[in-house]
Structures are given as C-alpha cells and as structure tokens.
Amino acid sequence: MSSGGWVGTWRPHRPRGPVMAQFSSPGPKYSIQGATGYVSHIPTKRKAPAYSMHGSRPPLSKECSPGPYDVPGSMSHRGRKSAPAYTMAGRPRVKVDITPGPASYSPEKSNKVIYKRAPMHSMSFRTKGTKVDATPAPNMYVIPEVLGPHTVATTTSPCYTMVGKSKLGCFDEDLYKSPGPAAYRKPDTEIYKKRAPKYSMGTRSKLHGADKITPGPADYELGKVSLIKSCAPVVTFGLRHSEYTTPLIVDVY
C-alpha cells in the first residue's frame, strides 16, 4: 500500500498490473528498444563497440608445474663437469671372416694380361651353322616406278586428265532448285468449276415387299364400294320375328 494521504475513503496505491488508460500508445505490449548497451540494442541506431570486464583468474593449482628437479652435483651452468669414469666389461666378440690366403692366387697366369705376347690359336670342333631366317628373295622386291605421277625417286612433269563435262556452272543448271511446271499435277475442272450431272447404269432395284404374298386383282370385289361411296338402301328378306321374344332390357342408372 502507498504511504500517501487519503482521498475520501480511498487511498491511492500503485496498480498491480499495467492499466491501458495510463498509456497513450497501443499499450504496454509494444516497447522501443534502448539505444544504450549491447543487449537488445535498437537496430536503427548506431551501436558503439562494447567491451567486457572479466573477473580475476582463479588461483593456479599446486600441481600445474613439473615440480622440483633432481640436479646432480656434477652438473653446472655450463654443462656436466666431472672426472673421467671408466667401466669394466667383457671382451667383445669379433666376427672372423674366411678370406683367401696368399697361396690361393696364381701370379703366373697374369702374364698374358700384363705383357704382350704372340697370338695363340687353338683347334676345336666345327661350330654349328647360323640360324636360317625366312627372308624374302631378290625377286620379291618391286622397283618403284619412274614414269607417271606415282614416282618415288624421280621428278615428273605435270600430268593432266580429261574428265566429262561438269554439271556445275552448266547452262541447264537449276540455280533456284525449284520445281518446274511438269512437277505439278493438273487438277480436275470439277474442283473449281460447276460439275455436270453424272449417271450410272446399274441392275434393277428390288421392289419393297416383293417377297411377300399380296392379293391379286381377282381378290377384290368391285361392287362393294359402300365403304367409300354412298349407295341406295338395300332391302333383305329374313325371318319374321316372334312377338313372344323378350326384348333386350338394359338398365340405365
């Protein structure tokens, strides 16, 4: 509650939430981003560089260094300085190689290599004949021509040939490559003019209903024409009716 004075029976206090009447904008839903700082900076304004300050580094661990070194007493700042030391070990084993001795050489055989001497010939068996190759005989070769245009070793004079007349550039050459009058088909005059009537001769057509049995002229009675024309009264003689015959009574409702 506010600590201000009372207004009648009501004391003014801060509302728990935003009230629409306190804003002249569409409402507290819309807000303009700030132009200071780095976070949520308004994109339409220029943003200055931002720097961050970190806290102090944590203390180093005690085990992060290699630790103390065991420096021997003979080691100085210029290197190792000590008296000469000797070690005693067994005799090393030497590998013995088998090499030829002086008696293995024959110096007397080197005279023919070092000094000059007369040629020496030896007699041996006859050598085998050389391998016979299937080579072509002299008559298998063809001497190149010396006359005509196909010479190889000599020069020839110009050769001329006579050929037939060429169709290129001839007087009857078709330069336009178009069809002539004979290439078109002559149309019939009935296509673009009035056509005369045409008649054809065929077999006699079959009458309709010729296979049915129809009455002939003798089947008709010429005297009975009362159906289509008026005629005089016709009187016939028949039996007398009996007075005792019961007349036909029809009930009419």
Side-chain angles (χ1 to χ4, degrees):
M1 297 294 291
S2 178
S3 60
W6 288 77
V7 180
T9 59
W10 175 77
R11 176 185 291 178
H13 63 280
R14 181 176 296 177
R16 297 179 180 178
V19 181
M20 292 294 295
Q22 297 177 356
F23 299 93
S24 60
S25 60
K29 182 178 180 181
Y30 301 94
S31 62
I32 300 176
Q33 298 176 352
T36 59
Y38 183 79
V39 180
S40 301
H41 191 276
I42 182 170
T44 58
K45 301 294 183 180
R46 185 179 178 181
K47 182 167 57 176
Y51 303 96
S52 59
M53 299 179 64
H54 295 278
S56 60
R57 294 184 178 181
L60 299 177
S61 177
K62 295 181 179 181
E63 299 178 357
C64 64
S65 62
Y69 294 95
D70 186 11
V71 181
S74 61
M75 187 66 63
S76 64
H77 66 284
R78 294 185 177 181
R80 186 180 180 89
K81 186 177 181 181
S82 63
Y86 302 96
T87 58
M88 297 181 64
R91 178 176 295 180
R93 182 175 297 179
V94 180
K95 184 179 180 181
V96 180
D97 297 331
I98 300 174
T99 56
S104 301
Y105 298 96
S106 300
E108 65 277 2
K109 295 182 180 180
S110 62
N111 293 333
K112 59 181 180 180
V113 180
I114 300 175
Y115 302 102
K116 293 182 179 180
R117 58 184 299 175
M120 298 177 65
H121 303 281
S122 60
M123 298 180 64
S124 62
F125 297 98
R126 180 178 295 179
T127 59
K128 295 182 180 181
T130 58
K131 184 179 179 181
V132 179
D133 298 329
T135 56
N139 58 351
M140 296 298 295
Y141 297 95
V142 179
I143 300 175
E145 299 179 359
V146 294
L147 298 176
H150 302 290
T151 59
V152 178
T154 59
T155 58
T156 59
S157 57
C159 300
Y160 303 96
T161 57
M162 298 181 65
V163 297
K165 185 181 294 184
S166 176
K167 293 184 178 181
L168 182 63
C170 189
F171 67 94
D172 59 345
E173 182 183 3
D174 188 7
L175 300 178
Y176 290 97
K177 301 297 181 181
S178 59
Y184 297 96
R185 184 178 61 85
K186 183 180 179 181
D188 297 335
T189 56
E190 298 177 354
I191 297 176
Y192 56 89
K193 287 187 177 182
K194 188 176 181 180
R195 185 176 62 180
K198 293 182 178 181
Y199 303 97
S200 60
M201 297 180 65
T203 58
R204 180 178 295 178
S205 59
K206 190 175 182 181
L207 297 177
H208 180 68
D211 53 344
K212 296 181 180 179
I213 302 175
T214 56
D219 294 335
Y220 296 96
E221 297 180 1
L222 300 179
K224 297 180 179 180
V225 293
S226 59
L227 297 178
I228 58 177
K229 292 184 179 181
S230 60
C231 62
V234 178
V235 182
T236 57
F237 294 94
L239 298 177
R240 185 184 296 268
H241 296 283
S242 176
E243 296 178 358
Y244 303 100
T245 302
T246 304
L248 180 61
I249 302 174
V250 179
D251 296 336
V252 179
Y253 298 95

Short mmCIF file of all heavy atoms in Angstrom, two decimals, residues 69-95:
data_model
loop_
_atom_site.label_atom_id
_atom_site.label_comp_id
_atom_site.label_asym_id
_atom_site.label_seq_id
_atom_site.Cartn_x
_atom_site.Cartn_y
_atom_site.Cartn_z
N TYR A 69 63.41 -30.35 -9.60
CA TYR A 69 64.28 -31.25 -10.37
C TYR A 69 65.38 -31.80 -9.45
O TYR A 69 65.88 -31.10 -8.55
CB TYR A 69 64.92 -30.50 -11.53
CG TYR A 69 63.92 -30.05 -12.58
CD1 TYR A 69 63.39 -28.77 -12.55
CD2 TYR A 69 63.52 -30.92 -13.58
CE1 TYR A 69 62.49 -28.35 -13.49
CE2 TYR A 69 62.60 -30.52 -14.53
CZ TYR A 69 62.09 -29.23 -14.49
OH TYR A 69 61.18 -28.83 -15.43
N ASP A 70 65.77 -33.02 -9.77
CA ASP A 70 66.88 -33.65 -9.05
C ASP A 70 68.15 -33.36 -9.84
O ASP A 70 68.51 -34.10 -10.77
CB ASP A 70 66.63 -35.15 -8.90
CG ASP A 70 67.68 -35.82 -8.03
OD1 ASP A 70 68.46 -35.08 -7.39
OD2 ASP A 70 67.70 -37.07 -8.02
N VAL A 71 68.82 -32.26 -9.54
CA VAL A 71 70.02 -31.85 -10.27
C VAL A 71 71.22 -32.51 -9.62
O VAL A 71 71.45 -32.34 -8.40
CB VAL A 71 70.18 -30.31 -10.25
CG1 VAL A 71 71.42 -29.90 -11.04
CG2 VAL A 71 68.94 -29.66 -10.80
N PRO A 72 71.99 -33.32 -10.38
CA PRO A 72 73.18 -33.95 -9.78
C PRO A 72 74.25 -32.92 -9.47
O PRO A 72 74.25 -31.80 -10.00
CB PRO A 72 73.62 -34.95 -10.84
CG PRO A 72 73.08 -34.41 -12.12
CD PRO A 72 71.80 -33.71 -11.76
N GLY A 73 75.22 -33.30 -8.60
CA GLY A 73 76.26 -32.37 -8.21
C GLY A 73 77.26 -32.07 -9.30
O GLY A 73 77.95 -31.05 -9.26
N SER A 74 77.39 -32.97 -10.28
CA SER A 74 78.37 -32.75 -11.34
C SER A 74 77.84 -31.87 -12.46
O SER A 74 78.54 -31.64 -13.45
CB SER A 74 78.80 -34.10 -11.93
OG SER A 74 77.66 -34.77 -12.47
N MET A 75 76.61 -31.37 -12.35
CA MET A 75 76.00 -30.54 -13.39
C MET A 75 76.16 -29.08 -13.01
O MET A 75 75.85 -28.68 -11.88
CB MET A 75 74.51 -30.87 -13.55
CG MET A 75 73.88 -30.17 -14.72
SD MET A 75 74.54 -30.72 -16.30
CE MET A 75 74.07 -32.43 -16.27
N SER A 76 76.74 -28.29 -13.90
CA SER A 76 76.91 -26.87 -13.71
C SER A 76 76.12 -26.10 -14.76
O SER A 76 75.44 -26.69 -15.61
CB SER A 76 78.41 -26.50 -13.77
OG SER A 76 78.92 -26.78 -15.08
N HIS A 77 76.24 -24.75 -14.68
CA HIS A 77 75.51 -23.94 -15.64
C HIS A 77 76.12 -24.03 -17.03
O HIS A 77 75.52 -23.58 -18.01
CB HIS A 77 75.49 -22.48 -15.17
CG HIS A 77 76.85 -21.84 -15.17
ND1 HIS A 77 77.80 -22.10 -14.17
CD2 HIS A 77 77.43 -20.96 -16.02
CE1 HIS A 77 78.89 -21.40 -14.43
NE2 HIS A 77 78.70 -20.70 -15.56
N ARG A 78 77.31 -24.62 -17.15
CA ARG A 78 77.96 -24.80 -18.45
C ARG A 78 77.86 -26.23 -18.94
O ARG A 78 78.35 -26.54 -20.03
CB ARG A 78 79.42 -24.40 -18.37
CG ARG A 78 79.62 -22.91 -18.12
CD ARG A 78 81.08 -22.55 -18.17
NE ARG A 78 81.28 -21.11 -18.00
CZ ARG A 78 82.47 -20.51 -18.02
NH1 ARG A 78 83.59 -21.24 -18.20
NH2 ARG A 78 82.55 -19.22 -17.84
N GLY A 79 77.27 -27.08 -18.20
CA GLY A 79 77.16 -28.46 -18.61
C GLY A 79 77.68 -29.40 -17.55
O GLY A 79 77.94 -29.02 -16.40
N ARG A 80 77.92 -30.64 -17.93
CA ARG A 80 78.39 -31.66 -17.00
C ARG A 80 79.90 -31.51 -16.81
O ARG A 80 80.65 -31.41 -17.79
CB ARG A 80 78.06 -33.05 -17.53
CG ARG A 80 78.38 -34.18 -16.58
CD ARG A 80 78.02 -35.51 -17.23
NE ARG A 80 78.31 -36.62 -16.35
CZ ARG A 80 77.47 -37.11 -15.44
NH1 ARG A 80 76.27 -36.58 -15.35
NH2 ARG A 80 77.80 -38.10 -14.66
N LYS A 81 80.35 -31.50 -15.59
CA LYS A 81 81.76 -31.35 -15.26
C LYS A 81 82.11 -32.35 -14.16
O LYS A 81 81.69 -32.19 -13.01
CB LYS A 81 82.07 -29.92 -14.81
CG LYS A 81 83.54 -29.66 -14.60
CD LYS A 81 83.79 -28.22 -14.21
CE LYS A 81 85.28 -27.96 -14.02
NZ LYS A 81 85.54 -26.55 -13.63
N SER A 82 82.85 -33.39 -14.57
CA SER A 82 83.22 -34.43 -13.60
C SER A 82 84.51 -35.09 -14.07
O SER A 82 84.96 -34.89 -15.20
CB SER A 82 82.09 -35.45 -13.44
OG SER A 82 81.89 -36.11 -14.68
N ALA A 83 85.09 -35.91 -13.21
CA ALA A 83 86.32 -36.64 -13.54
C ALA A 83 85.99 -37.77 -14.48
O ALA A 83 84.86 -38.24 -14.53
CB ALA A 83 86.95 -37.17 -12.23
N PRO A 84 86.96 -38.22 -15.29
CA PRO A 84 86.69 -39.35 -16.20
C PRO A 84 86.32 -40.61 -15.43
O PRO A 84 86.93 -40.93 -14.41
CB PRO A 84 87.99 -39.50 -16.98
CG PRO A 84 89.04 -38.86 -16.15
CD PRO A 84 88.37 -37.74 -15.40
N ALA A 85 85.37 -41.30 -15.94
CA ALA A 85 84.89 -42.53 -15.30
C ALA A 85 85.05 -43.67 -16.28
O ALA A 85 84.84 -43.52 -17.49
CB ALA A 85 83.42 -42.36 -14.89
N TYR A 86 85.43 -44.82 -15.78
CA TYR A 86 85.68 -45.98 -16.61
C TYR A 86 84.80 -47.12 -16.12
O TYR A 86 84.48 -47.22 -14.92
CB TYR A 86 87.15 -46.40 -16.56
CG TYR A 86 88.10 -45.30 -16.99
CD1 TYR A 86 88.70 -44.49 -16.03
CD2 TYR A 86 88.38 -45.11 -18.34
CE1 TYR A 86 89.56 -43.48 -16.41
CE2 TYR A 86 89.24 -44.09 -18.73
CZ TYR A 86 89.84 -43.28 -17.77
OH TYR A 86 90.70 -42.29 -18.16
N THR A 87 84.46 -47.98 -17.05
CA THR A 87 83.68 -49.16 -16.74
C THR A 87 84.42 -50.38 -17.22
O THR A 87 85.18 -50.34 -18.20
CB THR A 87 82.31 -49.09 -17.42
OG1 THR A 87 82.49 -48.96 -18.82
CG2 THR A 87 81.48 -47.91 -16.92
N MET A 88 84.23 -51.48 -16.55
CA MET A 88 84.88 -52.75 -16.91
C MET A 88 83.82 -53.71 -17.42
O MET A 88 82.81 -53.93 -16.76
CB MET A 88 85.60 -53.34 -15.69
CG MET A 88 86.72 -52.46 -15.16
SD MET A 88 87.57 -53.20 -13.73
CE MET A 88 88.28 -54.65 -14.49
N ALA A 89 84.10 -54.26 -18.62
CA ALA A 89 83.17 -55.19 -19.24
C ALA A 89 83.95 -56.30 -19.89
O ALA A 89 85.19 -56.29 -19.94
CB ALA A 89 82.31 -54.45 -20.28
N GLY A 90 83.27 -57.31 -20.37
CA GLY A 90 83.93 -58.42 -21.00
C GLY A 90 84.49 -58.05 -22.37
O GLY A 90 84.16 -57.03 -22.96
N ARG A 91 85.37 -58.94 -22.92
CA ARG A 91 85.98 -58.69 -24.21
C ARG A 91 84.92 -58.84 -25.31
O ARG A 91 84.18 -59.82 -25.32
CB ARG A 91 87.12 -59.66 -24.45
CG ARG A 91 87.81 -59.50 -25.80
CD ARG A 91 88.98 -60.42 -25.93
NE ARG A 91 90.03 -60.06 -24.95
CZ ARG A 91 91.19 -60.73 -24.83
NH1 ARG A 91 91.42 -61.79 -25.60
NH2 ARG A 91 92.09 -60.36 -23.93
N PRO A 92 84.89 -57.89 -26.22
CA PRO A 92 83.88 -58.02 -27.29
C PRO A 92 84.19 -59.17 -28.23
O PRO A 92 85.36 -59.52 -28.45
CB PRO A 92 83.97 -56.68 -28.00
CG PRO A 92 85.35 -56.19 -27.72
CD PRO A 92 85.69 -56.68 -26.35
N ARG A 93 83.17 -59.81 -28.75
CA ARG A 93 83.32 -60.94 -29.64
C ARG A 93 83.52 -60.42 -31.07
O ARG A 93 82.69 -59.67 -31.58
CB ARG A 93 82.08 -61.83 -29.58
CG ARG A 93 82.17 -63.07 -30.45
CD ARG A 93 80.97 -63.95 -30.25
NE ARG A 93 80.91 -64.44 -28.85
CZ ARG A 93 79.94 -65.22 -28.39
NH1 ARG A 93 78.92 -65.54 -29.19
NH2 ARG A 93 79.97 -65.63 -27.13
N VAL A 94 84.63 -60.83 -31.70
CA VAL A 94 84.98 -60.38 -33.05
C VAL A 94 84.57 -61.46 -34.03
O VAL A 94 84.89 -62.65 -33.84
CB VAL A 94 86.50 -60.08 -33.15
CG1 VAL A 94 86.85 -59.62 -34.56
CG2 VAL A 94 86.91 -59.04 -32.12
N LYS A 95 83.91 -61.03 -35.09
CA LYS A 95 83.49 -61.98 -36.12
C LYS A 95 84.63 -62.25 -37.08
O LYS A 95 85.24 -61.31 -37.63
CB LYS A 95 82.28 -61.40 -36.89
CG LYS A 95 81.73 -62.36 -37.91
CD LYS A 95 80.53 -61.72 -38.61
CE LYS A 95 79.96 -62.70 -39.64
NZ LYS A 95 78.80 -62.11 -40.36
#
